Amino acid sequence: MKINRRNFVALGAAGAASLAMPSIVRAQGAGVTFMSFNFAEDPNRPFIQKVVEDFKASSGITVEPIGSAWGDMQRNILLRQRSRTLPQSAQIQDRWLPAIAQMQETVDLGALLGRAAIEEAVDPGALGLGLVANKLVGLPLISGSVGFVANKEVMAKAGIAKVPETIDEFRAALLAVRDKVPNSVPFGMATKNPSSIPLDLMLLVWAHGGRLVDDEGKVVANSPATRAAFEFIAGLMRDRLVAPEIDRPDARRLFAQGTCAFYIDAPAARTFARSFSGRGEAADAFVLPMKTPILRAGDSPRSVEWGQVISMFATAPVAADAPVVRWMRNFLTDGVQTTLPLQLGGLPTTKSGRNSAIVRNDNFLKDWAAAVGVTRKHEIGVWSNGPELSTILSEEMQAALLGQKNANAAVDAIQSRMEQSMARRG
């Protein structure tokens, strides 16, 4: 079924009539509030603004976008919940959804919009991004993966002839960049923000054959593989192949400006490289998706399942034709799905969006798909105590990086502290 703005507005209206929400009263105004981390980012703000303006032009409904930095998003939503100033809608990273789903204000979108209609519109592979305990609490907006990205121009300056495939080749490449590219940060690994560190750490632990938390919620960090990964990471800092106080935005700027050869990101890497390099689409020439380095030949490269959803918050029953409901449905129209996901660096989530010519003819997305390897869900963010687990991982990794603890002590601490956190979670 081809989804456009006109026919999707009519979908699922019957499912909204019986929606029951908590009794705390909050009026639904004529406009809509929308909190977005992309709206807080200079390269991406125009794309969000365009969606807002196009929606107003077609519907007459005003949307107030509220910018919040990605790393502050969860905290800001929690603070707004406490002060009863939640936005009506918000852009949510998929791994935050288990915690967001616990809020009483989070709307069951399957009940409001019609689960069957959404399932017909959304690609089955993307639908799971918005599900928690089989309840649809996030409308899938963008899908993709998180993995390694290489800067071809920096590699050329360092004399690196081919993209490294193994951990040993990767380290050799980093040494070449350090020695041949002045003032460089060879690997823009996240070393500062608890919201960013776990993702980079997970990929390196996986590459060494380890895990942190298994699919059943058991902490399994205490293994030879994880210890080897921590020793590898500590060695990167000791040999000046990574740098302290680096967050994802810092790595993106260093990469775009030619002082970083490798870092970890979603397909949004292309958008940031275009903006931060000042070269626009010409920057595409140096952005190369690469497979995560493997420990030994025959291993499968790993990447992290990644996506974004739109969640809705309400404290009273919502009418089927309310402005915010029309705004939510707008995200699944062809007009949005064939533009915004690509602009933000991901794949559309609807069947019709993925089948569009603009997606099929995008060489960067083809290269990204070829580099994905085997995807795995984020091992930390999927748990309701994800923020606490992230803090534990970040603190212990930083201790290892700064030489305050050796790899064994850091891993032991992660195991015990995370087990305690999971036990409190129940």
Side-chain angles (χ1 to χ4, degrees):
M1 176 180 178
K2 185 175 180 63
I3 300 295
N4 56 41
R5 180 174 287 107
R6 178 178 297 173
N7 62 31
F8 195 80
V9 165
L11 294 175
S18 62
L19 178 67
M21 295 300 300
S23 58
I24 307 169
V25 175
R26 172 180 168 179
Q28 294 285 336
V32 178
T33 51
F34 175 57
M35 182 176 281
S36 163
F37 48 84
N38 283 142
F39 191 71
E41 300 164 342
D42 290 340
N44 292 320
R45 185 178 300 112
F47 305 139
I48 301 297
Q49 190 65 48
K50 178 76 161 51
V51 173
V52 168
E53 292 172 353
D54 287 351
F55 179 69
K56 182 178 181 180
S58 64
S59 68
I61 297 170
T62 299
V63 176
E64 177 191 355
I66 304 167
S68 174
W70 183 88
D72 296 330
M73 191 77 174
Q74 294 182 83
R75 180 171 59 87
N76 286 342
I77 287 177
L78 180 59
L79 291 173
R80 283 175 170 266
Q81 182 198 32
R82 291 173 178 172
S83 63
R84 302 196 178 196
T85 58
L86 277 169
Q88 293 166 286
S89 57
Q91 181 185 17
I92 304 294
Q93 192 73 47
D94 61 318
R95 60 181 178 268
W96 303 338
L97 210 54
I100 297 296
Q102 294 190 72
M103 296 167 50
Q104 65 174 348
E105 296 89 349
T106 303
V107 174
D108 180 349
L109 298 173
L112 180 62
L113 303 180
R115 177 75 174 258
I118 294 175
E119 289 179 350
E120 185 174 353
V122 175
D123 186 274
L127 188 67
L129 292 171
L131 294 173
V132 176
N134 203 36
K135 180 186 289 187
L136 191 72
V137 290
L139 201 64
L141 173 66
I142 301 171
S143 64
S145 64
V146 174
F148 278 67
V149 188
N151 187 313
K152 292 194 287 186
E153 292 179 351
V154 177
M155 287 174 58
K157 289 179 184 178
I160 302 168
K162 72 181 187 72
V163 175
E165 297 180 1
T166 66
I167 291 291
D168 288 343
E169 290 175 355
F170 181 59
R171 192 175 188 285
L174 297 180
L175 289 168
V177 174
R178 182 197 67 184
D179 295 340
K180 297 179 182 179
V181 181
N183 303 313
S184 63
V185 177
F187 178 26
M189 186 179 73
T191 56
K192 180 171 65 173
N193 190 334
S195 295
S196 304
I197 286 175
L199 193 151
D200 293 26
L201 176 60
M202 272 192 310
L203 277 175
L204 290 170
V205 168
W206 292 351
H208 282 81
R211 295 284 301 270
L212 296 170
V213 183
D214 68 16
D215 296 341
E216 286 70 46
K218 180 181 179 181
V219 181
V220 292
N222 192 358
S223 70
T226 303
R227 295 177 190 277
F230 265 72
E231 289 172 355
F232 174 78
I233 292 168
L236 295 181
M237 180 66 77
R238 185 175 57 249
D239 294 333
R240 296 182 290 108
L241 305 178
V242 298
E245 298 299 309
I246 294 290
D247 194 6
R248 193 83 62 228
D250 307 311
R252 287 166 173 161
R253 290 185 181 276
L254 292 169
F255 183 87
Q257 293 164 8
T259 55
C260 173
F262 309 96
Y263 86 111
I264 293 170
D265 207 349
R270 175 173 64 174
T271 301
F272 289 108
R274 288 175 175 178
S275 176
F276 293 150
S277 68
R279 292 161 59 176
E281 293 186 5
D284 294 2
F286 68 77
V287 184
L288 179 65
M290 63 175 275
K291 296 178 180 178
T292 299
I294 55 178
L295 190 61
R296 59 184 65 85
D299 289 352
S300 297
R302 298 281 183 176
S303 60
V304 183
E305 186 177 286
W306 170 88
Q308 298 171 15
V309 302
I310 307 298
S311 289
M312 180 177 159
F313 307 109
T315 55
V318 182
D321 61 348
V324 66
V325 175
R326 297 176 65 184
W327 167 245
M328 294 295 292
R329 290 176 177 144
N330 182 62
F331 283 106
L332 295 186
T333 62
D334 287 346
V336 172
Q337 281 288 312
T338 57
T339 55
L340 187 62
L342 298 174
Q343 291 165 341
L344 298 180
L347 283 170
T349 58
T350 61
K351 297 171 185 176
S352 57
R354 290 189 174 190
N355 287 327
S356 65
I358 192 170
V359 172
R360 294 197 305 269
N361 296 330
D362 191 309
N363 289 326
F364 174 79
L365 292 179
K366 291 180 183 177
D367 290 343
W368 193 278
V372 164
V374 179
T375 60
R376 181 179 282 165
K377 285 187 178 294
H378 197 290
E379 292 185 348
I380 304 304
V382 297
W383 304 106
S384 58
N385 58 331
E388 183 178 27
L389 298 177
S390 296
T391 298
I392 292 169
L393 279 176
S394 299
E395 290 176 350
E396 298 302 334
M397 192 187 90
Q398 287 173 321
L401 286 173
L402 298 175
Q404 297 168 345
K405 290 184 179 180
N406 61 32
N408 287 336
V411 172
D412 286 343
I414 287 172
Q415 181 73 28
S416 61
R417 293 179 65 188
M418 288 178 61
E419 282 180 340
Q420 293 169 15
S421 176
M422 294 300 281
R424 287 192 296 271
R425 171 187 171 274

